[in-house]
Amino acid sequence: MVKFRSMSQDSVSAPTFSPLYRQIKTLILQGLEAGEWRPGELIPSETELALRFNVSQGTVRKAIDEMAAESLLVRRQGKGTYVASHTDAGPREAFRFLRLVAETGATETLQSVPLECWRAKAGHEAARTLGIAFGAPIIIVRRLLKFSGKPVVIEEIYLPGELFGGLDLEMLQAYQGQGSFYSLLETRFGVRMLRAEERIRAVAADPVNAKLLEVAQGTPLLSVERVSHTYGDRPVEWRQSLYSTATHYYSNELS
Amino acid sequence: MVKFRSMSQDSVSAPTFSPLYRQIKTLILQGLEAGEWRPGELIPSETELALRFNVSQGTVRKAIDEMAAESLLVRRQGKGTYVASHTDAGPREAFRFLRLVAETGATETLQSVPLECWRAKAGHEAARTLGIAFGAPIIIVRRLLKFSGKPVVIEEIYLPGELFGGLDLEMLQAYQGQGSFYSLLETRFGVRMLRAEERIRAVAADPVNAKLLEVAQGTPLLSVERVSHTYGDRPVEWRQSLYSTATHYYSNELS
DNA sequence: GAGTGGTCTAGACCACTGT
DNA sequence: CAGTGGTCTAGACCACTCC
């Protein structure tokens, strides 16, 4: 392996300096991206990777440390390092990106009810958000999330058609209870959501959504707009959700 | 220094095992808590701490790494390691816990307008949240935040009277433009907010707050309830905020 | 140039998981 | 038991900041 131990700062704009462990991180990332190791699988041991990349074990360790901090990998002492997955088991593990919590700390069942799934062409906003051409095919999913049987979230999900060709209502229904939506995208389409940004606002319930969420029309709801990204920070999901916050709240940690 | 390199698992409930670097971390934490180094100040170099604690520099490094990840310390290459502070300069640095962003990415001026500040006795909820006795003295601050001159946030802040005795409206007004609220608490009262939890809901604007935020009564607003903690995860601030999300949104990152 | 944090190495040993 | 990640050390050198 060729090591670029440093980069000179001769040029005007500064590429600055890239430590070895970041180069290793990039190499591991490429392996993940190329599907060399699939979600949930074990990656080679640190010593093995160190041999392969011809660096010390400590350097591999630091690369993996960063990736574990970003939830790309999961370390398990005594066993090895695994590729992070949205299909992990554990009720709260499975919905990694869902920050809704019951007012009463009670444990709840969470059920996803697919309502519709149709094909469309990307409008200006969807095209811009997803980084695809205006008019490019997209898939729109509409679904309801029920906490302990009560409807709490209604959402519309916009996906680039190019990546999720075969997705339809039937598939969504068939996947019921087998895992989260992202778990489906991961296992059926090989697209992994690594990071997401959310924009939260307060809006009034319109008649249609009010009925679905079983609240009065005009009830204040949380509007959560999410853009999820896969490798290379490529946006691959745009989602507009409405959260009913009568019995639940959006939980966030600051530091 | 006495090192407990491991703990046996003889007892039934498991204290498990505490690595050296965590013990070092605790020691540094104690120094911070005791005020040995104040916010914004430089702490001793890694080598010096290593000598003092009689461990290797790498072990100190790992302790500091964790504390930097938790925003307790800030490293600056070539200069040293500093105690993190809410008084840091930088417009977005100063309001570290504020996640509100303008719809248009434009940079804005942020102004805090103190409205009221009065003393009261803790009710059941405040007492429970702040971990103080029912009826214990508390201080309540009511203020408005203006972005580029427009009111966007109205909030009520509940503080334990024991810690913030001399806080009054005059002091709040005198501190205008000198830094954030937390910066004031830090410099005037020596209380540092390290971590906070937020619970977000959607509510309708009541007449009083609607007028202050210059929106119609009943307009959906973001209700953000925040509990901030200082050392030892001790809660020392309870805050109820209302965000107008017509021109701004609450921004969050998931991973 | 001296001092700081940042990187890299090599080797020893510990803790946890499976067989 | 062997294999994995986790900790700890000691030393070398690099990059950045300030005098």
Side-chain angles (χ1 to χ4, degrees), chain A residues 233-247:
Chain A
D233 250 355
R234 180 179 167 200
V236 284
E237 183 206 31
W238 181 36
R239 181 187 288 216
Q240 312 248 191
S241 307
L242 293 173
Y243 294 3
S244 165
T245 55
T247 55

Side-chain angles (χ1 to χ4, degrees), chain A:
Chain A
M1 178 218 161
V2 182
K3 303 181 198 176
F4 298 95
R5 291 197 172 261
S6 87
M7 292 181 177
S8 62
Q9 282 96 323
D10 302 333
S11 66
V12 184
S13 68
T16 270
F17 163 74
S18 174
L20 233 197
Y21 76 86
R22 270 191 201 288
Q23 301 177 39
I24 302 303
K25 188 178 163 186
T26 302
L27 288 173
I28 298 177
L29 215 41
Q30 285 168 359
L32 291 174
E33 200 166 346
E36 184 168 356
W37 315 292
R38 302 189 57 80
E41 281 181 15
L42 196 60
I43 71 168
S45 74
E46 295 179 355
T47 20
E48 194 177 331
L49 289 171
L51 278 172
R52 173 186 318 191
F53 297 137
N54 193 28
V55 297
S56 85
Q57 188 253 13
T59 300
V60 171
R61 172 155 264 273
K62 189 151 190 192
I64 292 180
D65 274 345
E66 279 204 3
M67 298 177 74
E70 294 166 28
S71 298
L72 294 172
L73 298 176
V74 178
R75 295 172 167 293
R76 289 199 230 286
Q77 179 168 165
K79 302 176 83 173
T81 302
Y82 294 79
V83 181
S85 165
H86 285 272
T87 317
D88 263 344
R92 278 274 127 352
E93 279 272 301
F95 291 79
R96 228 176 71 196
F97 286 177
L98 186 57
R99 290 285 217 269
L100 260 198
V101 177
E103 206 68 61
T104 73
T107 42
E108 298 188 291
T109 60
L110 209 170
Q111 185 197 2
S112 155
V113 183
L115 301 177
E116 303 175 74
C117 178
W118 71 97
R119 268 122 244 282
K121 288 185 191 302
H124 283 108
E125 200 173 358
R128 186 169 30 80
T129 309
L130 293 173
I132 57 179
F134 174 72
I138 60 172
I139 299 174
I140 307 179
V141 175
R142 197 138 173 280
R143 67 169 187 168
L144 196 60
L145 291 187
K146 292 186 176 183
F147 284 71
S148 300
K150 302 264 184 189
V152 176
V153 174
I154 174 99
E155 51 194 3
E156 238 167 60
I157 304 169
Y158 300 77
L159 302 163
E162 196 199 343
L163 290 174
F164 303 100
L167 183 65
D168 57 19
L169 196 58
E170 212 175 334
M171 187 188 292
L172 288 166
Q173 284 163 344
Y175 204 75
Q176 287 284 82
Q178 291 190 46
S180 70
F181 183 69
Y182 289 151
S183 162
L184 185 154
L185 299 188
E186 194 174 279
T187 48
R188 294 281 195 284
F189 300 95
V191 178
R192 310 180 36 210
M193 304 302 180
L194 304 180
R195 193 183 71 78
E197 291 161 0
E198 292 194 330
R199 298 181 171 201
I200 307 171
R201 299 176 186 84
V203 301
D206 65 39
V208 175
N209 290 316
K211 190 160 189 181
L212 285 164
L213 291 173
E214 296 173 9
V215 298
Q217 180 181 344
T219 301
L221 300 175
L222 234 49
S223 156
V224 180
E225 183 183 346
R226 180 191 295 173
V227 181
S228 307
H229 305 255
T230 188
Y231 292 106
D233 250 355
R234 180 179 167 200
V236 284
E237 183 206 31
W238 181 36
R239 181 187 288 216
Q240 312 248 191
S241 307
L242 293 173
Y243 294 3
S244 165
T245 55
T247 55
H248 294 70
Y249 60 86
Y250 185 105
S251 169
N252 200 22
E253 271 272 336
L254 309 177
S255 67

Side-chain angles (χ1 to χ4, degrees), chain B residues 95-109:
Chain B
F95 292 80
R96 226 176 72 197
F97 286 178
L98 186 57
R99 290 286 215 270
L100 259 198
V101 178
E103 206 68 62
T104 73
T107 42
E108 297 188 292
T109 61

